[in-house]
Amino acid sequence: MIACNNDANVELHNFMQSCADVARQYCADNNHSYTTVIPPSLIESNVIPPMQKHQLCFIAAHGDYDGIYNEKDADVITIRTTNYAFADKGLYTIACSCAQNLYPELNRLGIKLFVGYNAPFIVGDDEDAFGDCAVEGMKHILQGKTKSEAYKAMLDKYDVVIKTLSFKDKIRLLRDKERLKFEGEDNTTIANLK
């Protein structure tokens, strides 16, 4: 499943749409089917229950410590939603801070793979560079690489891109890299997700 908050009134909606577009292309390149969820359909009932038919949920939206929200600030995936559908699945987020409280809740319920950030995700002036880094792990997961291989590839991508940026963007992207949480057993692959 690929979800994003591309509502025109939402800050960074173009960035979130771009990340979702790249995730869709990675799915197509690797023969993974997906469904897309965007506003006004970006609601809990269109994301969580359908996860029973998917292995991995990619979502680019705004979030906080407790979870991920839609364009109306309503819960999509949070500590207040019923998240049992994520047992044995994966969640790949580009959302602020949700690794703080949402990840431990999903981990308690048996999620096998979680990618997110434990602090605000910052997007600098070079949005493409930030997006490329943010979705890099998704590319490797969809190629069938293990969690540890995908995590290493993502960290390497951050390192390469950081060298090319302005000083301000270097600091911002380094901060994102340091706040990244890439959780799961090292040998987890998309084939291990149910």
Side-chain angles (χ1 to χ4, degrees):
M1 173 181 301
I2 297 174
C4 82
N5 190 352
N6 65 357
D7 185 275
N9 296 314
V10 172
E11 184 180 1
L12 294 172
H13 65 274
N14 286 330
F15 174 79
M16 290 186 259
Q17 179 65 60
S18 177
C19 291
D21 289 344
V22 171
R24 277 195 292 276
Q25 186 60 53
Y26 290 158
C27 285
D29 292 347
N30 293 284
N31 298 313
H32 293 285
S33 62
Y34 61 88
T35 57
T36 301
V37 182
I38 59 172
S41 299
L42 184 60
I43 58 175
E44 173 188 352
S45 61
N46 290 336
V47 174
I48 296 176
M51 274 306 296
Q52 294 183 31
K53 299 176 189 169
H54 297 280
Q55 297 167 286
L56 179 66
C57 177
F58 173 93
I59 186 165
H62 290 294
D64 64 18
Y65 287 2
D66 291 339
I68 302 165
Y69 306 91
N70 68 13
E71 74 282 6
K72 296 178 181 172
D73 293 326
D75 293 359
V76 177
I77 307 168
T78 72
I79 61 170
R80 293 172 294 279
T81 53
T82 304
N83 300 312
Y84 293 104
F86 282 98
D88 296 321
K89 311 281 183 173
L91 177 62
Y92 193 110
T93 70
I94 301 174
C96 291
S97 306
C98 62
Q100 287 280 339
N101 297 334
L102 179 60
Y103 168 65
E105 170 65 8
L106 294 174
N107 190 46
R108 182 182 71 78
L109 298 174
I111 197 165
K112 282 197 171 181
L113 179 70
F114 178 89
V115 179
Y117 297 84
N118 64 9
F121 179 83
I122 305 297
V123 178
D125 297 328
D126 188 342
E127 286 188 9
D128 289 342
F130 283 75
D132 289 347
C133 291
V135 297
E136 182 70 13
M138 182 76 166
K139 174 172 80 173
H140 295 278
I141 291 166
L142 292 173
Q143 289 174 346
K145 303 225 173 112
T146 65
K147 174 256 170 184
S148 61
E149 291 169 330
Y151 182 39
K152 181 183 182 318
M154 193 169 181
L155 294 177
D156 290 347
K157 178 75 168 188
Y158 270 102
D159 290 342
V160 167
V161 173
I162 286 169
K163 293 175 186 175
T164 70
L165 298 175
S166 69
F167 180 75
K168 273 176 48 176
D169 273 359
K170 282 180 199 269
I171 299 302
R172 292 171 179 153
L173 194 58
L174 179 60
R175 186 178 182 281
D176 287 345
K177 177 188 172 195
E178 291 172 346
R179 301 320 194 266
L180 175 66
K181 299 294 278 181
F182 209 119
E183 302 293 336
E185 292 185 14
D186 284 344
N187 62 350
T188 298
T189 66
I190 194 157
N192 300 131
L193 305 177
K194 296 183 179 179

